[in-house]
Amino acid sequence: MRKHYTGLIERYKDRLPISESTRIISIGEGNTPLIQLENIPKLINKDVEIFVKYEGLNPTGSFKDRGMTMAITKAVEEGGQAVICASTGNTSASAAAYAVRAGITAFVLIPEGKIALGKLAQTLMYGAKIIQIKDNFDAGMRLVKEIVDHAPVTIVNSINPFRIDGQKTAAFEIIDELGDAPDYHCLPVGNAGNITAYWKGYKEYSTDSDNLPAVTEKRPVMCGYQAAGAAPFISGAMIDNPETVATAIRIGHPQSWDYAWAAQKESGGWFDCFTDDKILAAQKMLASHEGIFCEPASAASLAGALKDIASGKIPEGSRIVCTLTGNGLKDPDVAITQCADDQPVAVEATLDSVKRAILDQM
Ligand code: F0G
């Protein structure tokens, strides 16, 4: 019988800072589908293999659960009773869920009016202590870093190294499934924890360690994509008033700045940015051509891959993985606004009207 894994810590515990006696706080995260796109490569008429790592299928609907299972497990192991994070929405939902699972308290600082509806609904349902601030994520992050000197709380933002350790397992899963690293790995960049984590994972799987042999020699080129209004990696300096419809990555002062630059340089990769329109177009393209619904920020990965494939920067014959960081259901408002021109028809509830509605649209 195939071994049953409850979550990513169980699966990868020989590569995580966990001991036999650690109480693992898991809700069955990780092991997300790696889906090969079938229609978009034909549409763009390019000979490329594009896979999407659909992280929206984690328990709270985003990749944050990978890091959070580790961060909360370690916080509890160290005797913590409360955790805190600043968030654009997904980290707060994840922290809230894993904290309640562990029986501890989660405090979350969110920018008032700037987090997607689904994320707010989740965080409320899980019962986190929500503190809305009249400022953005970067201000929340600054406050969280200060508050730990004034209250007994553990930070579970990605500046917590256990978050990065949990999130690196996505790279392990990709190599385990494809049999090797892809040629290119494309992902959205906000606070830059995820690009840091993937690169750590790819490096660890391609390096002999004391007790584990390398799984592969290959590492991908890392391509990080931002929203044009929130693109410090493009301007090369922190920015103060980030703005984008992709609220998840509405960040001007990324915390993992140096690590992300190291990932770019060591992998021979690059950063680029896209207007909100381009990001939304990629989100809709993925939903309407492949049946895969991700949130706006996630679609920056596909927007980037498609641009770089079109220009030849990513050559034909390449195998590409795009991380879809969050589920499309997180942000119903943006999705519905996007489809304003595709309003459903309304008809009388009669056989004749329904028949006409069908035949008219065939
Ligand atoms: N995509 C989504 C859906 C996110 O929620 C985030 C970050 C990112 C991409 C960027 O990842 O920060 O590791 O570079 N969301 C954080 C949050 C900031 O609070 O939920 P990153």
Side-chain angles (χ1 to χ4, degrees):
M1 193 180 121
R2 189 167 164 267
K3 185 164 171 13
H4 176 72
Y5 295 110
T6 54
L8 60 87
I9 296 181
E10 199 65 50
R11 180 170 176 186
Y12 290 113
K13 67 175 158 216
D14 54 350
R15 292 179 179 273
L16 293 167
I18 286 291
S19 78
E20 280 308 318
S21 61
T22 306
R23 175 185 161 212
I24 296 172
I25 312 297
S26 167
I27 322 178
E29 57 294 317
N31 196 23
T32 54
L34 186 65
I35 309 162
Q36 183 164 9
L37 301 189
E38 293 181 349
N39 300 319
I40 291 175
K42 284 186 207 142
L43 205 69
I44 60 174
N45 198 21
K46 293 281 186 186
D47 176 24
V48 284
E49 286 182 334
I50 309 175
F51 292 84
V52 294
K53 181 72 170 157
Y54 193 19
E55 292 287 276
L57 292 191
N58 275 297
T60 77
S62 86
F63 73 98
K64 305 288 180 179
D65 295 344
R66 290 184 184 276
M68 208 53 75
T69 183
M70 273 300 301
I72 301 287
T73 290
K74 296 304 280 189
V76 168
E77 185 172 62
E78 289 159 10
Q81 290 296 316
V83 295
I84 191 164
C85 64
S87 181
T88 55
N90 279 327
T91 302
S92 52
S94 187
Y98 284 82
V100 80
R101 181 81 163 173
I104 63 173
T105 305
F107 292 95
V108 305
L109 262 68
I110 53 174
E112 188 179 30
K114 289 292 182 182
I115 81 166
L117 194 62
K119 302 174 189 180
L120 185 60
Q122 290 179 283
T123 311
L124 286 164
M125 283 297 282
Y126 297 134
K129 311 280 186 215
I130 301 179
I131 303 167
Q132 302 199 69
I133 57 166
K134 295 181 194 310
D135 206 327
N136 61 23
F137 169 86
D138 300 309
M141 198 62 243
R142 223 163 30 239
L143 286 163
V144 161
K145 289 201 285 188
E146 282 174 29
I147 204 73
V148 290
D149 295 330
H150 303 271
V153 289
T154 305
I155 299 183
V156 292
N157 280 105
S158 55
I159 54 173
N160 176 331
F162 298 124
R163 279 277 313 277
I164 303 295
D165 270 323
Q167 284 173 211
K168 76 186 178 190
T169 61
F172 298 165
E173 287 179 14
I174 290 166
I175 292 174
D176 286 343
E177 192 157 343
L178 294 178
D180 208 340
D183 300 313
Y184 296 85
H185 191 114
C186 302
L187 77 175
V189 174
N191 210 24
N194 213 25
I195 191 168
T196 301
Y198 269 98
W199 186 237
K200 184 164 198 252
Y202 282 125
K203 284 205 293 192
E204 286 183 10
Y205 245 30
S206 55
T207 310
D208 287 325
S209 70
D210 292 345
N211 50 356
L212 294 164
V215 175
T216 174
E217 290 180 354
K218 186 173 171 186
R219 296 172 180 180
V221 172
M222 301 298 293
C223 311
Y225 301 111
Q226 302 210 279
F233 285 101
I234 311 307
S235 56
M238 304 288 178
I239 61 165
D240 280 339
N241 294 300
E243 212 41 87
T244 168
V245 70
T247 51
I249 51 173
R250 189 172 167 270
I251 295 173
H253 289 243
Q255 297 296 311
S256 296
W257 180 254
D258 293 339
Y259 293 122
W261 282 113
Q264 177 262 319
K265 291 199 179 80
E266 290 169 24
S267 74
W270 57 83
F271 293 108
D272 202 349
C273 66
F274 294 92
T275 59
D276 285 356
D277 283 354
K278 285 265 171 8
I279 290 173
L280 293 178
Q283 182 199 22
K284 190 147 187 210
M285 185 183 198
L286 195 56
S288 62
H289 290 281
E290 301 283 359
I292 302 168
F293 188 22
C294 66
E295 65 172 286
S298 309
S301 60
L302 182 67
L306 293 179
K307 177 185 171 193
D308 292 332
I309 291 165
S311 73
K313 198 169 181 183
I314 295 179
E316 291 206 56
S318 297
R319 174 176 275 183
I320 304 142
V321 172
C322 295
T323 300
L324 300 181
T325 45
N327 197 302
L329 296 171
K330 293 268 191 178
D331 198 341
D333 293 320
V334 169
I336 288 169
T337 308
Q338 275 235 65
C339 299
D341 295 337
D342 316 320
Q343 286 303 312
V345 293
V347 300
E348 296 301 324
T350 64
L351 181 61
D352 194 44
S353 321
V354 173
K355 185 175 113 188
R356 219 172 324 117
I358 290 171
L359 295 180
D360 281 355
Q361 298 190 77
M362 285 190 84

